[in-house]
Amino acid sequence: MRNFPKLSSNSLGMLVKRMHKKASQSISRYRISAVAFDKNGEFIAQSCNNVPMEGVEPKHGAGIHAEAKLMRKYGTKVKTILISRVGHGGEWRPIRPCEKCQALANKLGVKIITIAECQESAFE
């Protein structure tokens, strides 16, 4: 696969299951998980989104985004982030990074792709 040179179709299947499980663990309204890879396509870390801290008035997008957490923690070591979103019924939902996360990714030189894009490229 062109986006992840170290992933075979079998390991992609395991990654998809892992991302689904991690997203399902989120207690946020939008259950999102992200996985970071380095320049060689090696796994760095995985994260899910968090709800806002206590005392902060909840609003759309106010939690800590999964991809932002990874970029802040690992910085320029991250070269690719794979994001996914799971509905409360367990189904895959559409996702794209917000403007702030995309701006941070652009600043750090990180490519953010969705699980749907990754699965499509596996069959090319």
Side-chain angles (χ1 to χ4, degrees):
M1 295 172 24
R2 63 174 185 229
N3 293 320
F4 304 107
K6 300 290 182 184
L7 289 181
S8 65
S9 59
N10 287 341
S11 57
L12 175 60
M14 289 188 316
L15 179 64
V16 167
K17 288 177 187 175
R18 184 177 183 163
M19 291 187 76
H20 191 280
K21 182 178 179 180
K22 187 71 170 179
S24 297
Q25 292 172 351
S26 175
I27 60 171
S28 296
R29 180 175 175 197
Y30 296 102
R31 297 175 173 194
I32 297 168
S33 69
V35 177
F37 297 90
D38 67 11
K39 66 181 178 181
N40 297 318
E42 294 287 341
F43 174 87
I44 297 174
Q46 183 176 7
S47 179
C48 66
N49 58 333
N50 290 353
V51 293
M53 297 181 295
E54 281 188 43
V56 175
E57 184 177 328
K59 61 180 181 176
H60 177 73
I64 302 169
H65 295 191
E67 61 273 32
K69 255 198 283 189
L70 292 170
M71 288 186 282
R72 288 183 181 139
K73 185 169 184 177
Y74 298 100
T76 57
K77 186 176 179 182
V78 176
K79 293 300 173 195
T80 307
I81 293 181
L82 179 61
I83 57 174
S84 66
R85 177 177 162 213
V86 175
H88 289 279
E91 73 284 359
W92 290 109
R93 304 290 298 163
I95 186 170
R96 62 181 174 78
C98 71
E99 290 178 12
K100 289 182 181 181
C101 289
Q102 188 61 61
L104 179 59
N106 292 343
K107 181 179 177 182
L108 296 173
V110 174
K111 181 178 180 182
I112 299 177
I113 62 172
T114 68
I115 192 76
E117 293 169 333
C118 184
Q119 289 173 320
E120 287 171 9
S121 70
F123 297 106
E124 289 180 351

